[in-house]
Amino acid sequence: MKMVVLMKQTFDTEEKIVVKQGNIVEDGVKFVINPYDEYAVEEAVKLRDEFGGSVTLVSLGPSRAAEALRTALAMGADEAVLISDDRIPDDEYAVSKVLYTYLSKENPDLILGGNFSVDRGSGQVAIRLANMLSIPHTASITKLTINGTTAEVHRDAEGDLEILTLPLPALFTAQQGLNEPRYPSLPGIMKAKKKPFKTYTLEDLDLTEDEVKPATKQTELTLPPERSAGQILIGEPAEAVSELVSLLRTKSKVI
Amino acid sequence: MSRTIFIYAESREGKLRQVAKETLGAAQLIAKEGDTICAFVAGSQITEAISAILPYGADHVVTMEHADLVHYNPDAYFAAIKAALDQMKPDIVLFGHTAIGRDLAPQVAAYLQAGQISDVTAIDHEEGETIFTRPLYAGKAFEKRVFESTPAVVTIRPNNIKPAELSENAAPSSVVDIAYPAPSLRTVIKDVVSKATGKVDLTEAKVVISGGRGVKSEDGFKPLEELADLLGGAVGASRGACDAGYCDYSLQIGQTGKVVTPEIYIACGISGAIQHLAGMSQSKVIIAINKDPEAPIFKVADYGIVGDLFEVVPLLTEEFRKVLV
Ligand SMILES: Cc1cc2nc3c(=O)[nH]c(=O)nc-3n(C[C@H](O)[C@H](O)[C@H](O)COP(=O)(O)OP(=O)(O)OC[C@H]3O[C@@H](n4cnc5c(N)ncnc54)[C@H](O)[C@@H]3O)c2cc1C
């Protein structure tokens, strides 16, 4: 089975966001594999170990994203592709077009990605790709079983559980609960260094800057107003509770 | 030039969802003079949902009813909306940022080769341009975004944009039924286990009562559920509680969970890790109940009670019951 995992490098979820001159500061920030993509990597590696085949990681991003790809190779993926080009804008229309150009020549049986990326959080790229590639998809899966050329999946839909079947090739996005991602082992890290790693630019994909013009543009970036600590209600629990309810009525006016 | 704004008026089990009115509200915010707003209602047995949207001021209502649309199937729903889009040729397409909207909008954006701005929390106009505000890093930052091309696809976060208002003399000028195109479905729904039916949707709830590792067990959520039921709210959780197996991951709030913006958020036995704060710090009023006076959650809470949640939550339920009668 030929599998492709769409992967993105994101800020560690512990990081505080700092904005300077309209940009998010990246100096000194720890980067990780997007947590949802980690489930996708784990699932692909497990399936490869069960059914054979290969796992190719594909990431679009700055050159630092190579670290995340190395980590995922150390988790057991077979090869990595980094599409890196400053001319590709931060816009899902453009990003999915670039990824489509690469993937349309690959014909994988299975494409796995994360439910959304914890930085931009727009959750568009994978589903756009499924549509562009004309393959079926299920987003937000918590279980995946392959039976020959069909997949059975569990999907988390606002708390309800849906059980679906669909034919391969197909695309899935991983939700928490799908599996427990492994830590890269030391031998895994050593092996990862020798695995194939390709880097592509727009030219390598036969795309021009004009073809990846963004459809949307950021005009402003701000931090939310800081929340200041409020009032601790002291005293016996019963007193504190009655004071709270009264404050909710009189001061906050929410009930 | 006048434009057509198309909204997906989401229904569930035949009933119009609150987010549908908010989506229509968003369309009204975007609309300039001369623009036309078209609302699309699709599903199986949607008579009630159709009548529910009629008095809210859409210019046209397009409907599609078919048994294939009883549950959300990406193939069926995409074929359905495609038929409606081909007919209406909209300039802007709007969805709620719900399980359905999150899945359907990118398919539509790909089909229309359009840009999409997801999870929008506010819409403004500056110098004739429509500006969309949305969170980054689950609310640790916010960006304003504009479209550089048409058509445009937008999903709006539930609970943030003012819903359309009832307007007595604004019945739609047309209500048109479009035939379901009956595609062959690749995806088959084998079963739907509804765990959330009858409950208030977490992302739409006005009141959220969340439990963390401090609830100590599945049973520990019971007092929280009682309070949520009383206030017509929903129960949420920290990842700590989910990881410990006290509840389903679908309840998780935070950077890798759901983002909620209720009027009242009550965190019970939650320490207040940065990933949790990312998902709830935009709530209007935050209340924290925690045994540990040093818990970081108190740094963002409007009101805090230092105490045992198993004592405080039932007292709170009683107190609310007193004032709500
Ligand atoms: C990649 C990644 C993503 C993450 N994403 C999320 C996310 O989306 N959402 C999220 O919530 N977390 C997330 N986390 C986890 C986060 O870092 C914390 O581990 C988690 O939020 C802690 O949950 P908690 O507050 O319930 O548990 P703890 O930190 O264990 O806190 C329990 C609290 O309960 C209090 N307590 C105990 N007993 C009682 C009692 N009887 N009465 C009152 N108070 C009591 C204690 O004083 C303590 O403050 C993520 C972590 C990682 C690494």
Side-chain angles (χ1 to χ4, degrees):
Chain A
M1 198 157 44
K2 181 171 173 179
M3 287 173 280
V4 166
V5 178
L6 307 169
M7 231 186 81
K8 186 174 180 181
Q9 190 190 41
T10 55
F11 276 42
D12 187 338
T13 56
E14 285 288 334
E15 294 290 344
K16 282 224 166 75
I17 304 298
V18 179
V19 173
K20 233 186 222 159
Q21 281 151 2
N23 288 307
I24 290 179
V25 176
E26 297 198 348
D27 298 345
V29 165
K30 192 174 162 225
F31 291 95
V32 295
I33 300 173
N34 178 41
Y36 289 105
D37 302 354
E38 226 178 358
Y39 301 118
V41 174
E42 175 64 31
E43 197 67 13
V45 169
K46 266 172 44 187
L47 288 171
R48 194 266 332 270
D49 291 347
E50 190 181 342
F51 295 107
S54 63
V55 177
T56 305
L57 309 162
V58 181
S59 190
L60 193 158
S63 51
R64 62 166 159 74
E67 300 156 32
L69 287 168
R70 291 271 176 226
T71 307
L73 286 173
M75 286 170 74
D78 300 291
E79 52 173 2
V81 171
L82 174 60
I83 303 173
S84 194
D85 197 315
D86 290 343
R87 294 167 296 177
I88 303 171
D90 219 352
D91 169 65
E92 294 81 2
Y93 163 78
V95 168
S96 51
K97 196 163 182 178
V98 173
L99 289 173
Y100 169 75
T101 307
Y102 168 75
L103 283 169
S104 58
K105 295 179 193 103
E106 292 295 306
N107 298 314
D109 300 298
L110 202 61
I111 303 177
L112 282 156
N115 192 19
F116 60 83
S117 62
V118 300
D119 50 3
R120 298 200 44 78
S122 63
Q124 295 179 31
V125 171
I127 299 173
R128 277 178 179 268
L129 276 173
N131 190 278
M132 294 164 93
L133 293 164
S134 299
I135 59 172
H137 76 275
T138 313
S140 194
I141 63 164
T142 53
K143 191 176 175 197
L144 170 59
T145 318
I146 305 285
N147 303 307
T149 56
T150 345
E152 179 171 305
V153 293
H154 287 192
R155 162 169 154 86
D156 161 36
E158 281 169 5
D160 285 345
L161 164 68
E162 298 173 355
I163 301 166
L164 311 151
T165 58
L166 50 168
L168 302 183
L171 178 147
F172 302 103
T173 69
Q175 169 69 303
Q176 209 166 86
L178 179 63
N179 54 44
E180 203 50 63
R182 72 193 70 190
Y183 288 103
S185 63
L186 194 60
I189 295 168
M190 298 313 289
K191 271 194 223 151
K193 293 184 176 152
K194 297 196 190 84
K195 288 179 178 172
F197 194 117
K198 294 178 201 136
T199 307
Y200 293 145
T201 61
L202 282 181
E203 279 77 22
D204 297 321
L205 298 174
D206 279 326
L207 280 168
T208 62
E209 192 173 353
D210 218 39
E211 286 173 297
V212 296
K213 274 212 291 253
T216 68
K217 186 181 79 185
Q218 184 183 77
T219 57
E220 201 183 303
L221 181 68
T222 50
L223 292 179
E226 191 105 17
R227 266 197 114 98
S228 47
Q231 195 175 346
I232 300 279
L233 308 171
I234 35 185
E236 284 303 302
E239 286 166 37
V241 157
S242 92
E243 192 184 350
L244 170 64
V245 172
S246 130
L247 283 165
L248 289 175
R249 302 192 86 166
T250 54
K251 196 168 153 215
S252 304
K253 297 194 166 59
V254 282
I255 51 166
Chain B
M1 223 177 63
S2 68
R3 304 168 302 172
T4 300
I5 306 175
F6 182 100
I7 73 144
Y8 173 66
E10 186 170 336
S11 57
R12 185 195 273 165
E13 285 159 11
K15 293 201 173 59
L16 195 73
R17 290 187 69 172
Q18 172 66 15
V19 71
K21 292 176 201 168
E22 294 168 2
T23 316
L24 182 53
Q28 290 168 344
L29 278 176
I30 294 169
K32 296 175 186 156
E33 200 162 318
D35 289 350
T36 305
I37 298 176
C38 165
F40 179 54
V41 186
S44 143
Q45 304 188 332
I46 46 170
T47 326
E48 193 183 327
I50 298 166
S51 9
I53 196 83
L54 293 181
Y56 285 91
D59 300 298
H60 305 286
V61 172
V62 173
T63 65
M64 188 181 288
E65 193 153 9
H66 195 274
D68 279 2
L69 304 174
V70 62
H71 293 297
Y72 179 75
N73 177 324
D75 289 348
Y77 268 75
F78 174 64
I81 200 164
K82 197 168 94 168
L85 294 169
D86 288 346
Q87 187 151 333
M88 301 310 295
K89 306 216 181 321
D91 301 279
I92 302 166
V93 186
L94 293 156
F95 297 86
H97 196 69
T98 60
I100 292 182
R102 286 197 304 271
D103 201 67
L104 203 46
Q107 295 185 71
V108 165
Y111 172 63
L112 298 175
Q113 299 187 33
Q116 179 183 328
I117 302 183
S118 305
D119 202 15
V120 166
T121 54
I123 299 171
D124 300 284
H125 297 279
E126 280 169 33
E127 291 162 18
E129 194 162 33
T130 311
I131 319 265
F132 298 88
T133 303
R134 64 182 303 275
L136 296 173
Y137 302 88
K140 291 185 198 167
F142 280 82
E143 67 169 351
K144 290 189 171 174
R145 263 189 122 71
V146 296
F147 283 100
E148 300 260 88
S149 62
T150 46
V153 177
V154 175
T155 67
I156 60 151
R157 174 181 295 188
N159 243 352
N160 281 259
I161 289 172
K162 211 167 142 271
E165 279 172 23
L166 274 176
S167 48
E168 273 162 37
N169 48 4
S173 59
S174 76
V175 182
V176 179
D177 187 63
I178 297 185
Y180 175 68
S184 61
L185 302 176
R186 301 168 297 187
T187 304
V188 176
I189 302 176
K190 280 183 65 182
D191 202 2
V192 177
V193 186
S194 12
K195 298 193 239 169
T197 311
K199 291 198 185 150
V200 181
D201 183 71
L202 197 49
T203 54
E204 276 185 325
K206 299 278 182 228
V207 179
V208 174
I209 322 283
S210 273
R213 224 192 302 266
V215 302
K216 296 195 178 72
S217 68
E218 202 180 324
D219 272 348
F221 269 100
K222 289 228 170 88
L224 279 58
E225 278 158 16
E226 248 172 69
L227 179 55
D229 286 346
L230 176 71
L231 299 177
V235 169
S238 72
R239 172 145 166 202
C242 302
D243 280 345
Y246 306 160
C247 64
D248 205 82
Y249 276 115
S250 58
L251 299 190
Q252 183 184 319
I253 289 166
Q255 186 156 12
T256 54
K258 301 204 160 72
V259 177
V260 295
T261 34
E263 309 234 308
I264 305 179
Y265 187 87
I266 310 183
C268 312
I270 293 177
S271 60
I274 187 167
Q275 296 96 345
H276 187 77
L277 299 185
M280 46 64 87
S281 60
Q282 301 301 309
S283 306
K284 193 162 167 212
V285 175
I286 297 172
I287 299 161
I289 301 166
N290 199 303
K291 280 206 293 207
D292 174 10
E294 303 297 321
I297 190 81
F298 288 122
K299 295 208 177 75
V300 300
D302 298 281
Y303 304 109
I305 296 180
V306 179
D308 187 330
L309 74 93
F310 294 106
E311 189 180 354
V312 176
V313 175
L315 283 172
L316 195 54
T317 309
E318 245 174 74
E319 190 68 25
F320 272 119
R321 198 169 273 140
K322 272 192 238 159
V323 303
L324 290 176
V325 286

